[in-house]
């Protein structure tokens, strides 16, 4: 007997077992009155966790922005871009078009802005 036949038999037994359990449970079903308790619990748990998750994300993003501003990160980024713009044309080992470089940076910036906007939409 090969492996495929064993799997087919196992699946068939599993289906038969599931049908037997469903038939047995159908006759044994008893509803317990909880007066809306389950509904109230389910309504409160996911919403609170979702809100806490969003608040934590916003807090971490704000902390990152505050850190970037506190170390004057824009100066580092601008000096790096200026140095790259000055040295890249002189470097013969890099056969990168300046247009391709600008387009790549533009695509990265657009992706970052789009992601931030999507995150803020989900928060609201």
């Amino acid at each position: 007997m090969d492996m495929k036949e064993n799997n087919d038999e196992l699946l068939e037994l599993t289906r038969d077992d599931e049908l037997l359990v469903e038939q047995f449970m159908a006759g044994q079903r008893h509803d317990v009155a909880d007066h809306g308790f389950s509904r109230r619990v389910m309504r409160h748990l996911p919403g609170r966790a979702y809100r806490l998750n969003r608040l934590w994300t916003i807090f971490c993003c704000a902390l990152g922005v505050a850190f970037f501003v506190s170390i004057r990160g824009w100066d580092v980024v601008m000096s790096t871009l200026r140095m790259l713009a000055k040295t890249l044309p002189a470097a013969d080992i890099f056969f990168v078009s300046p247009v391709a470089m600008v387009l790549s940076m533009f695509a990265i910036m657009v992706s970052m802005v789009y992601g931030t906007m999507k995150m803020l939409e989900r928060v609201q």
Side-chain angles (χ1 to χ4, degrees):
M1 203 179 273
D2 67 343
M3 199 168 211
K4 182 171 175 34
E5 291 175 1
N6 284 340
N7 285 342
D8 291 343
E9 286 181 19
L10 184 61
L11 287 175
E12 191 61 38
L13 286 175
T14 304
R15 286 186 205 122
D16 291 341
D17 291 341
E18 287 178 14
L19 287 173
L20 285 173
V21 169
E22 280 183 35
Q23 289 172 356
F24 175 76
M25 295 302 281
Q28 304 297 322
R29 183 179 169 122
H30 298 287
D31 289 331
V32 177
D34 66 353
H35 306 290
F37 174 76
S38 299
R39 189 177 341 105
R40 287 192 305 271
V41 168
M42 294 305 292
R43 189 175 26 191
H44 284 86
L45 287 179
R48 183 169 187 255
Y50 181 78
R51 282 191 305 273
L52 287 176
N53 184 21
R54 291 296 164 209
L55 287 174
W56 180 249
T57 302
I58 291 170
F59 172 74
C60 289
C61 288
L63 193 63
V65 168
F67 180 71
F68 185 79
V69 168
S70 71
I71 64 166
R72 298 177 52 112
W74 61 87
D75 288 340
V76 174
V77 170
M78 291 308 293
S79 66
T80 302
L81 289 176
R82 274 193 297 270
M83 183 176 57
L84 185 64
K86 288 178 185 176
T87 60
L88 188 61
D92 288 336
I93 59 172
F94 294 110
F95 297 106
V96 179
S97 165
V99 174
M101 194 79 154
V102 169
L103 287 176
S104 298
M105 287 190 281
F106 179 73
I108 291 170
M109 296 289 280
V110 167
S111 298
M112 290 171 55
V113 169
Y114 179 76
T116 304
M117 288 173 54
K118 282 296 187 182
M119 185 186 70
L120 291 175
E121 281 178 7
R122 281 187 243 140
V123 169
Q124 295 172 1

